[in-house]
Amino acid sequence: MVKFFKILVISCWLLSIGLISSCQEGGEAGDLFGQWRMSGSDSMYVSFSGAIVSLRNTHAAEVYGNFQHFGDSLFIQCRSIYGDKADTVNIEQYYGLKPFDNIRLRIDKLNSDDLVLSKEGQTWMFYKY
């Protein structure tokens, strides 16, 4: 009987740890989680939550996509909900991120305040918003 209760207590303990860790804010986003504002701009933002990224330009449009973060690499696959050319223009021209559906960036700096991304000599700097 005592052995049964030990197994029951250990099982409940492991289950509660699993539930608590699965409810962490941000999920897969990790340190990227939250809203970031592009330095030097009052209209360009990027947000990470779970495995979803939102690139918002208050003068153009908001584009969503999926992202993956591995070490110092960030991979973004943008999606155009309505197939609008304006979505591609927003990402490729305003943000300078190409190609629209397969963006690969290097994370040069990531902490609770700053995010610095780069690709082929171009740099994007964001701060937590």
Side-chain angles (χ1 to χ4, degrees):
M1 187 74 153
V2 172
K3 187 175 183 180
F4 172 75
F5 283 112
K6 281 185 180 178
I7 292 172
L8 182 63
V9 168
I10 290 173
S11 298
C12 289
W13 183 73
L14 289 173
L15 179 63
S16 64
I17 289 196
L19 289 174
I20 290 170
S21 65
S22 70
C23 294
Q24 287 181 326
E25 198 170 293
E28 296 175 33
D31 293 339
L32 290 169
F33 177 76
Q35 297 181 33
W36 301 85
R37 183 175 180 178
M38 186 179 283
S39 296
S41 172
D42 62 348
S43 64
M44 313 238 330
Y45 302 85
V46 63
S47 302
F48 298 93
S49 180
I52 305 295
V53 62
S54 165
L55 296 131
R56 182 170 50 105
N57 180 340
T58 58
H59 299 302
E62 186 168 17
V63 176
Y64 294 93
N66 300 92
F67 77 93
Q68 295 176 328
H69 174 205
F70 298 108
D72 67 349
S73 298
L74 178 62
F75 304 95
I76 300 173
Q77 298 83 36
C78 293
R79 305 284 187 246
S80 180
I81 295 171
Y82 302 107
D84 293 340
K85 181 70 174 164
D87 291 344
T88 303
V89 169
N90 181 28
I91 300 304
E92 291 187 354
Q93 291 183 6
Y94 291 121
Y95 279 91
L97 301 172
K98 296 179 184 180
F100 177 79
D101 60 350
N102 191 20
I103 301 165
R104 297 170 183 255
L105 302 166
R106 177 184 163 91
I107 299 174
D108 293 327
K109 182 178 184 182
L110 175 59
N111 60 40
S112 60
D113 298 319
D114 300 301
L115 170 62
V116 179
L117 304 171
S118 66
K119 179 180 180 179
E120 298 171 354
Q122 189 171 1
T123 302
W124 297 268
M125 297 179 357
F126 297 87
Y127 61 92
K128 199 70 160 240
Y129 175 66

